[in-house]
Amino acid sequence: RTPGVKFIYTSVKDFFEAFAGDKRKFDKPILVNILAEDVWMVGFLTNEDLGRFELGAEYVSAYVPQGYNIAGQVYLVKRNRIKRLSDMAASEAMKFAVTGGVVQLDDVKRT
């Protein structure tokens, strides 16, 4: 009954379910162009319907994890600033992002 505990609990629960639960959201790996034209970040497409933000249908949300911790940034970007990584498993993309790109990814093509 402490103020804020329910909010924190449900937020943390939803976050962890997004990684491994039935509500898995980090299953669409992407490259997202945020900072400069030739700079790409590994992330995940998390929402393609941002009607509540009134930005228009051309915007999507991209989550970009930070290395070596459970943190990251959510960016609302135009669709043309993302590239889907259809040949990479979501787990490989997360591993690459949170390790700062130092892991060796499998060369096996995913379907």
Side-chain angles (χ1 to χ4, degrees), residues 63-78:
Y63 174 77
V64 177
Q66 295 176 349
Y68 297 107
N69 61 37
I70 300 176
Q73 299 292 322
V74 174
Y75 297 98
L76 306 181
V77 298
K78 288 189 175 182

Side-chain angles (χ1 to χ4, degrees), residues 16-44:
F16 282 107
E17 283 183 354
F19 276 107
D22 293 335
K23 299 178 182 177
R24 232 175 129 188
K25 295 289 184 185
F26 299 118
D27 59 351
K28 299 177 192 106
I30 59 169
L31 292 176
V32 60
N33 177 252
I34 302 289
L35 304 171
E37 186 176 326
D38 294 331
V39 177
W40 294 89
M41 300 171 131
V42 176
F44 297 90

Side-chain angles (χ1 to χ4, degrees), residues 46-91:
T46 55
N47 198 328
E48 296 190 66
D49 181 12
L50 299 178
R52 294 195 60 177
F53 292 97
E54 300 178 9
L55 293 173
E58 71 269 15
Y59 280 84
V60 297
S61 65
Y63 174 77
V64 177
Q66 295 176 349
Y68 297 107
N69 61 37
I70 300 176
Q73 299 292 322
V74 174
Y75 297 98
L76 306 181
V77 298
K78 288 189 175 182
R79 290 178 191 275
N80 65 354
R81 296 191 65 144
I82 67 166
K83 294 181 183 180
R84 290 189 187 243
L85 296 172
S86 58
D87 290 343
M88 181 180 286
S91 59

